[in-house]
């Protein structure tokens, strides 16, 4: 009997000490950071910034692996099925919380199959048009889109992304005739916008900012409650005639659901120190972002609220992906 009790006690101690020891030595090999968009977009830029600083701090390489497509669901499913050992992490956007209500079938649960680590930055969307579009302000654009015989092409970073749903809500509220053209990320979408292959889009401010400043894209209005210093001459949607129309995306770090809490707390604390560094904060603010530093618990509450909010947006817009 004693031997069985001793064995049980040993197993219990091992179960408790094992994860603690694992977190204490983590990481002892390279870590992969999955990004659901192609290189060059805002999500990729933020992920690579964090990956580089983590590599320096951890003395282990943090490698960014881009897995674009299917409105972020390809990358998300890969992460959901990965071991929760801390060596596969996921930097994604608000599109993650939209998936559950947008897709009729998913091979993973966007809430239950992931462990939120931290919300890093929130970036507003800005409505931009290609250089050849004659409209110079919001009301002119709405009129142009209503009167265009074949409609106006509106680009997005993929079905179910905030950019897509925001365009659908815009269409619903204004009666504009819009033809959706999905892309796999910010970079290819912005390239075609500047080239005139598509006519308008709601773009993350970080991705659009340099092209607005260079004159290659026309900024119509910012879907944000206040103007931002980087483009202080661009009105908010409310100022332009659509009060209450606000939209933003965010970038947050996740792991698979089985990621141990001690390890999750360690990753959060390390990333938290990184985004609080003055030069990193400035870089994120220069991208048009509001820097966040939320704990895993705070991020979980945020995720739950976002899923509910975007679920209502999906329902209102009638958007659906089968």
């Amino acid at each position: 009997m004693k031997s069985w009790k001793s064995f049980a006690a040993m197993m219990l101690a091992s179960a408790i000490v094992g994860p603690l020891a694992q977190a204490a030595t983590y990481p002892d090999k390279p870590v992969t950071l999955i990004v659901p968009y192609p290189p060059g977009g805002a999500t990729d830029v933020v992920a690579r910034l964090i990956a580089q600083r983590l590599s320096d701090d951890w003395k282990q390489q943090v490698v960014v692996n881009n897995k674009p497509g299917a409105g972020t669901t390809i990358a998300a499913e890969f992460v959901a099925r990965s071991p929760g050992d801390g060596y596969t992490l996921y930097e994604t956007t608000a599109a993650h919380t939209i998936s559950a209500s947008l897709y009729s079938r998913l091979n993973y649960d966007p809430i239950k199959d992931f462990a939120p680590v931290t919300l890093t930055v929130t970036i507003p969307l800005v409505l931009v048009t290609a250089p050849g579009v004659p409209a110079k302000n919001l009301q002119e654009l709405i009129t142009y889109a209503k009167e265009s015989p074949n409609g106006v092409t509106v680009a997005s970073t993929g079905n179910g992304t905030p950019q897509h749903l925001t365009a659908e809500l815009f269409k619903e509220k204004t009666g504009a005739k819009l033809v959706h053209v999905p892309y796999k990320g910010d970079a290819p979408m912005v390239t075609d916008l500047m080239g005139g292959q598509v006519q308008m889009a709601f773009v993350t401010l970080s991705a659009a900012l340099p092209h607005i400043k260079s004159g290659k894209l026309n900024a119509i209005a910012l879907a944000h409650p206040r103007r931002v210093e980087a483009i202080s001459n661009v009105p908010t949607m409310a100022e332009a005639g659509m009060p209450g129309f606000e939209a933003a995306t965010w970038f947050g770090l996740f792991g698979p659901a089985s990621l141990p809490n001690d390890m999750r707390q360690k990753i959060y604390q390390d990333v938290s120190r990184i985004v609080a560094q003055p030069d990193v904060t400035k870089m994120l603010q220069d991208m048009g972002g509001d820097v966040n530093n939320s704990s895993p618990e705070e991020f979980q509450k945020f995720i739950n609220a976002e899923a509910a909010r975007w679920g209502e947006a999906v329902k209102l817009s009638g958007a659906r992906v089968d």
Side-chain angles (χ1 to χ4, degrees):
M1 182 66 70
K2 286 184 178 180
S3 62
W4 278 107
K5 287 183 177 179
S6 299
F7 177 74
M10 181 178 68
M11 293 301 293
L12 179 61
S14 176
I16 295 172
V17 174
L20 294 176
Q22 187 180 30
T25 59
Y26 171 84
D28 57 10
K29 62 181 181 181
V31 175
T32 300
L33 179 55
I34 303 296
V35 173
Y37 299 107
T43 315
D44 182 68
V45 170
V46 172
R48 290 180 187 277
L49 173 60
I50 292 173
Q52 182 57 59
R53 297 301 175 100
L54 284 176
S55 297
D56 294 341
D57 290 351
W58 288 347
K59 310 304 181 196
Q60 290 287 347
Q61 191 173 14
V62 179
V63 181
V64 173
N65 184 354
N66 300 88
K67 287 184 174 295
T72 76
T73 62
I74 292 174
E77 183 176 351
F78 177 86
V79 175
R81 295 184 176 186
S82 297
D85 56 7
Y87 292 96
T88 301
L89 300 176
Y90 186 37
E91 181 79 6
T92 189
T93 69
H96 183 74
T97 51
I98 297 169
S99 301
S101 54
L102 186 77
Y103 289 84
S104 57
R105 291 183 298 273
L106 284 176
N107 294 324
Y108 64 92
D109 188 307
I111 305 299
K112 295 179 181 178
D113 290 341
F114 296 84
V117 177
T118 185
L119 177 66
T120 51
V121 63
T122 304
I123 299 181
L125 301 185
V126 59
L127 175 57
V128 299
T129 59
V133 175
K136 300 305 178 186
N137 58 54
L138 182 62
Q139 296 307 316
E140 289 182 5
L141 179 61
I142 292 171
T143 300
Y144 177 70
K146 285 181 175 180
E147 295 178 352
S148 180
N150 299 315
V152 170
T153 51
V154 58
S156 83
T157 51
N159 290 317
T161 59
Q163 291 87 336
H164 172 212
L165 282 183
T166 301
E168 291 291 341
L169 289 173
F170 181 83
K171 177 181 176 181
E172 177 76 17
K173 289 181 179 297
T174 64
K177 291 188 288 186
L178 302 181
V179 180
H180 181 221
V181 182
Y183 287 81
K184 289 185 177 181
D186 279 321
M189 176 184 69
V190 170
T191 297
D192 275 7
L193 270 168
M194 292 188 295
Q197 282 81 11
V198 283
Q199 294 170 285
M200 63 174 278
F202 286 90
V203 186
T204 54
L205 181 56
S206 54
L209 192 55
H211 310 297
I212 293 172
K213 289 184 173 180
S214 69
K216 294 178 181 178
L217 290 176
N218 298 320
I220 299 296
L222 189 68
H224 200 52
R226 63 184 184 279
R227 295 194 186 201
V228 299
E229 185 177 350
I231 47 171
S232 57
N233 62 317
V234 177
T236 65
M237 293 289 287
E239 291 172 330
M242 287 187 68
F245 194 94
E246 299 172 10
T249 191
W250 47 261
F251 306 119
L253 190 64
F254 295 78
S258 55
L259 182 69
N261 188 56
D262 286 340
M263 192 174 290
R264 181 160 53 147
Q265 293 292 338
K266 171 181 169 51
I267 298 168
Y268 154 62
Q269 289 166 8
D270 292 343
V271 173
S272 176
R273 283 193 295 269
I274 287 170
V275 299
Q277 293 169 358
D279 62 326
V280 175
T281 297
K282 186 177 186 305
M283 290 168 71
L284 295 173
Q285 289 175 338
D286 287 347
M287 292 171 60
D290 293 325
V291 178
N292 295 274
N293 200 5
S294 62
S295 68
E297 296 76 17
E298 291 168 337
F299 193 22
Q300 181 68 71
K301 291 178 181 178
F302 176 82
I303 291 298
N304 294 340
E306 280 287 281
R309 183 172 78 89
W310 285 113
E312 286 298 315
V314 169
K315 184 179 179 179
L316 178 64
S317 70
R320 194 72 178 168
V321 178
D322 296 317

